[in-house]
Amino acid sequence: MTHDHPDTAARPVSRPFGRVLTAMVSPFTSDGTLDLDGAARLASHLVDEQGNDALVVNGTTGESPTTTDAEKERLIRAVVEAVGDRARVVAGVGTNDTRHTIELAAAAEKAGAHGLLVVTPYYNKPPQSGLLRHFTAVADASGLPVMLYDIPHRSGVPIDTETLVRLADHGRIVAVKDAKGDLTATSWVTSRTGLAFYSGEDALTLPALAVGCVGVVGTSTHFTGALTAEMIEAYDAGDMPAALALHRRLLPLFTGIFRTQGTILVKAGLASLGLPAGPVRPPLVDATDDEIAQLRADFAAAGLELPE
């Protein structure tokens, strides 16, 4: 099938992981140890108070580059135990080594995860044929549904439209976290496949819905989850003025959370709210007083309060 003749037949909207997912931070104690009790409490807050349908653990926001494989497995178990009866838990297992990714996928499945997030292999820049083989091998090796993570500004390589269309043929590859920032490319894939696209950029969630996305895997949704769900529900109901009003209201936090690396400001915000977070691990650095003051201003601009 060529780009000139997309399959434009209406497809039922599939939301295999719900509407709103948060890429959850991994709480640490003051000495940098993984805080499993804190992770359970934070997960419960995100599901019960912030309206998340699912949580992604061990993603980049969860500091996956600096947590061990054993810590990743313990974290999945803790979060599944805390919220697995009322939300889906998606485990980040992507690395730039196919064998290691398959090992992490097996461990995540054993630990009770409901799905896998598999990022494009980063730094080694495989060709599209390598991406096809990598993602297919991971999906073949696991019984869990897979969400691909397309984030070329971090990985160095986009998942091309034709590659995504071919991957959509795999029965367990069901979704994409789309952080490509290319709504034209997104439009082509959503018009030609049944893949459930989730915006991987908080501020692009509303426009992404217009080209076939079904939800968001967010970072600011640690704080905006319930209102983001409301925005998506308004869009689904055809109430564009309400959806646009919420998009504009939340824009200061959708973007402000990324004034520096997102994990840094999420942990600072959670700490201000008395929620489990703890420090970040090097090479990340904790937020400065000026960054926290700016975050407080961004909260206020979105009509939310971040206590002193």
Side-chain angles (χ1 to χ4, degrees):
M1 191 175 293
T2 68
H3 277 184
D4 298 319
H5 298 92
D7 173 9
T8 53
R11 302 172 191 278
V13 175
S14 167
R15 288 188 161 110
F17 303 107
R19 285 187 179 94
V20 178
L21 297 79
T22 290
M24 193 180 99
V25 298
S26 300
F28 300 135
T29 60
S30 57
D31 67 357
T33 306
L34 185 64
D35 179 4
L36 293 176
D37 289 341
R41 283 190 290 128
L42 178 58
S44 297
H45 170 79
L46 291 173
V47 172
D48 300 335
E49 306 300 324
Q50 284 294 343
N52 280 272
D53 301 307
L55 300 175
V56 174
V57 296
N58 297 327
T60 315
T61 307
E63 296 178 75
S64 59
T66 53
T67 57
T68 67
D69 291 3
E71 285 177 321
K72 288 176 172 66
E73 187 173 348
R74 290 199 297 272
L75 186 62
I76 295 165
R77 289 186 189 279
V79 174
V80 169
E81 189 175 327
V83 300
D85 60 338
R86 57 196 188 279
R88 308 203 75 188
V89 178
V90 180
V93 299
T95 73
N96 57 357
D97 172 0
T98 304
R99 267 188 313 184
H100 187 201
T101 302
I102 289 170
E103 288 169 8
L104 289 174
E109 187 167 9
K110 190 176 173 186
H114 304 115
L116 305 174
L117 178 71
V118 186
V119 72
T120 312
Y122 39 82
Y123 195 74
N124 45 11
K125 297 186 81 167
Q128 293 299 309
S129 58
L131 298 187
L132 192 68
R133 182 181 293 186
H134 174 81
F135 291 127
T136 301
V138 177
D140 282 346
S142 175
L144 295 178
V146 171
M147 177 187 288
L148 307 175
Y149 185 6
D150 189 9
I151 183 164
H153 67 269
R154 280 187 191 250
S155 69
V157 181
I159 313 175
D160 287 349
T161 295
E162 295 305 322
T163 306
L164 285 163
V165 170
R166 289 180 67 184
L167 288 165
D169 289 335
H170 196 292
R172 280 188 294 279
I173 296 175
V174 299
V176 178
K177 179 182 177 184
D178 179 17
K180 192 180 276 173
D182 181 351
L183 293 180
T184 304
T186 303
S187 301
W188 279 115
V189 183
T190 55
S191 73
R192 294 174 60 192
T193 74
L195 290 170
F197 264 63
Y198 289 84
S199 175
E201 296 189 42
D202 301 23
L204 285 183
T205 303
L206 183 58
L209 293 171
V211 296
C213 286
V214 301
V216 61
V217 180
T219 304
S220 70
T221 46
H222 282 86
F223 313 109
T224 65
L227 289 168
T228 300
E230 203 178 305
M231 179 183 77
I232 296 171
E233 285 162 12
Y235 177 87
D236 286 349
D239 189 349
M240 277 306 299
L244 184 56
L246 281 161
H247 165 78
R248 287 174 171 163
R249 173 185 166 180
L250 296 174
L251 199 55
L253 261 186
F254 285 164
T255 57
I257 208 74
F258 300 108
R259 288 180 187 272
T260 183
Q261 202 270 0
T263 307
I264 294 169
L265 290 181
V266 169
K267 283 196 162 182
L270 291 171
S272 295
L273 291 166
L275 289 164
V280 296
R281 285 182 177 173
L284 299 185
V285 291
D286 292 317
T288 65
D289 289 345
D290 285 349
E291 286 168 340
I292 295 169
Q294 179 62 62
L295 182 63
R296 195 166 283 120
D298 291 335
F299 263 75
L304 298 170
E305 186 182 356
L306 189 64
E308 291 281 350

